[in-house]
Amino acid sequence: MAQQQPSHLKVLIAGAGLGGLTLALLLEQAGIEYTILEKHEGDLIPLGSSISLNQSIQPLFEQLGMLKELESISKPISSMTFLKENMNKIGSMDLSSDAVRYGYHNRIMDRPSLYKLLLSRIPEERIITGKRVCDIEQNDQGVLVRCSDTSSYEADILVGADGAYSCVRRCLYRDLRNQNLLPKSDMAPLAFDHHCLVGITDPIDPIYFPDLSRSTCDMMVVIGKDKPYSWWLIPLKKNRLAWRVTYNLPTTQIRQEHHIRSSDWGPLQVEEMANACRDFVCPYGGTLAEVIDKTPKDRISKVLLEEKFFETWYHNRTVLMGDACHKVVPHAGYGAAQAMLDAISLANILYDLSTTTTPSSASITSAFEAYYRDRAEHGKAAVQGSRHMGRLSGGHKWTESVIRSMFLNIIPAKVQQTILDKVLLHRPQATFLPFVRDRGEYKAKPQSQVEPARMRTLSGLCLRLFQQDSFT
């Protein structure tokens, strides 16, 4: 734990998701007073399917003494194999040597297990449930948060870690819009061109799916023929299988505004989509029906795959992080890890701020500016990289098929390695905790020297093809 210093800072965190919990865990270590306001009532029940954490975030788990626990709930990803629907191989990516190069494996786990691990390190009294933010007020003295149950809370700083449809962002943007300070791009709605069905099976006898018994995860991705679907099979710990079926919306609907109704995502709609994909071929034999039938209904959900980079991350004493300011599609290596990287950056800056006398609005603004400089370009690159990863792993246009084949079979492994090097150059640590040694052959640059990782780059040729008008 960091050497405790008198803290002159009180922080409210809206949202007990993975990003909010990571920030809370770091503030706990830094000795900074904080409270988490979570909109859901009662016990926090982690939901979701699989989640991957690449090497950029794992030094933090080692700093916190949690790396062994992370490894115990996860598998190292050794490969990703892409298949046509007739089971002919398109190509594959070998990730088995990543631990030597970067010091850690890219790891895959079920989201609930990761959530429980983080939650176990947060004192219960720090989280208040049933607190949906409905309004904020801020001035030179502090920030006031009003919740839908008429309760209110005060602090020096408010962090909006409450997801893609952030209530904190909505309140902040409302005030900025009234002052004509909000860019037009931030007024546009979230865009999505995919939705998907996800689930995690109960434990399965490996006699049916032998890949489950392996100590590593070999992902299978199937690209549908004459249908706008792709589907993933992902072996997890405890002989379970995570799966995802992605539906590509028609081109005419891409990036148009949608009015999302809860009725579109209820149990009947989940069942409807599950029935539509039951006959899809399974790489392990048979069809997806066997996989779906081994999955409890409460572990199947239909979700949107939205993406958007917001230009405005802070104002006065309020700051955003994670999906609230850069929503990415959760492909391997994207998603929650970005929110956790935001948490490291923000915690480092808040720690420096907390050691001063009672922070002024000016000093808080300067701190938020530093956070934005550190993370904004990485967030923008993650959104663009996630978009291109989606096209690589599930695009159905002929150009996307060509690029997929080129990337997997023609582009030299050394070039692919160079691309991954750029992505994983940034492996930050908490500056107020003892640093852990860089164990990889490819060393991370010092945090102050790291340039934004251009995760959108597949190669010069692929990038030019991806940026054609036919892709927008």
Side-chain angles (χ1 to χ4, degrees), residues 99 122 189 320 372 389 446:
I122 308 296
L320 306 174
Y372 184 85
M389 181 63 182

Side-chain angles (χ1 to χ4, degrees), residues 16-18 21 38-49 110-117 119 127 129-130 298-299:
L18 294 174
L21 291 183
E38 168 55 40
K39 64 182 179 181
H40 293 106
E41 299 201 24
D43 295 335
L44 295 177
I45 302 174
L47 300 173
S49 183
D110 62 290
R111 192 182 187 97
S113 291
L114 176 60
Y115 190 89
K116 289 176 182 177
L117 175 59
L119 188 62
I127 304 176
T129 59
D298 63 355
R299 265 189 253 140

Side-chain angles (χ1 to χ4, degrees), residues 52-53 55 58 70-79 95-99 104-109 214-219 234-237:
S52 68
L53 293 183
Q55 295 85 347
Q58 291 180 54
L70 182 71
E71 292 172 348
S72 72
I73 63 172
S74 63
K75 283 187 173 186
I77 302 174
S78 59
S79 68
L95 307 175
S96 58
S97 62
D98 282 2
Y104 309 87
H105 288 287
N106 192 342
R107 306 196 72 88
I108 190 81
M109 67 217 74
R214 296 179 184 172
S215 60
T216 59
C217 170
D218 301 286
M219 293 186 184
I234 306 168
L236 300 177
K237 282 271 191 170

Side-chain angles (χ1 to χ4, degrees), residues 376-388:
E377 284 300 314
H378 291 289
K380 185 179 294 184
V383 172
Q384 295 173 336
S386 170
R387 184 179 304 158
H388 295 322

Side-chain angles (χ1 to χ4, degrees), residues 120-278:
S120 70
R121 300 300 182 95
I122 308 296
E124 290 184 11
E125 65 272 14
R126 293 289 194 175
I127 304 176
I128 307 176
T129 59
K131 300 297 178 181
R132 181 184 293 273
V133 175
C134 65
D135 198 14
I136 62 174
E137 292 182 20
Q138 42 187 346
N139 54 36
D140 289 340
Q141 282 68 52
V143 58
L144 172 70
V145 175
R146 292 191 173 89
C147 299
S148 57
D149 63 356
T150 72
S151 61
S152 61
Y153 299 85
E154 295 183 51
D156 298 301
I157 285 173
L158 169 63
V159 180
D162 49 343
Y165 291 91
S166 167
C167 294
V168 172
R169 186 185 67 230
R170 176 178 53 80
C171 295
L172 182 67
Y173 281 14
R174 175 204 62 200
D175 294 342
L176 290 172
R177 188 168 55 249
N178 290 339
Q179 301 173 55
N180 293 320
L181 296 176
L182 189 67
K184 287 186 177 180
S185 61
D186 285 346
M187 300 180 193
L190 282 166
F192 69 92
D193 49 22
H194 304 80
H195 59 241
C196 69
L197 201 67
V198 299
I200 298 178
T201 68
D202 280 333
I204 299 173
D205 190 334
I207 195 172
Y208 299 108
F209 297 147
D211 279 16
L212 293 178
S213 62
R214 296 179 184 172
S215 60
T216 59
C217 170
D218 301 286
M219 293 186 184
M220 299 283 190
V221 183
V222 182
I223 310 299
K225 176 178 172 57
D226 299 326
K227 59 171 70 78
Y229 289 93
S230 59
W231 49 101
W232 297 52
L233 285 304
I234 306 168
L236 300 177
K237 282 271 191 170
K238 300 180 180 179
N239 293 338
R240 296 169 300 158
L241 194 65
W243 53 274
R244 182 175 105 181
V245 179
T246 300
Y247 173 71
N248 296 343
L249 292 169
T251 304
T252 54
Q253 298 181 34
I254 291 178
R255 311 203 188 289
Q256 292 180 359
E257 181 174 358
H258 293 262
H259 299 287
I260 301 168
R261 300 170 300 177
S262 59
S263 60
D264 292 333
W265 308 93
L268 290 178
Q269 285 67 37
V270 169
E271 184 176 4
E272 180 182 357
M273 187 168 178
N275 288 337
C277 60
R278 287 179 65 84

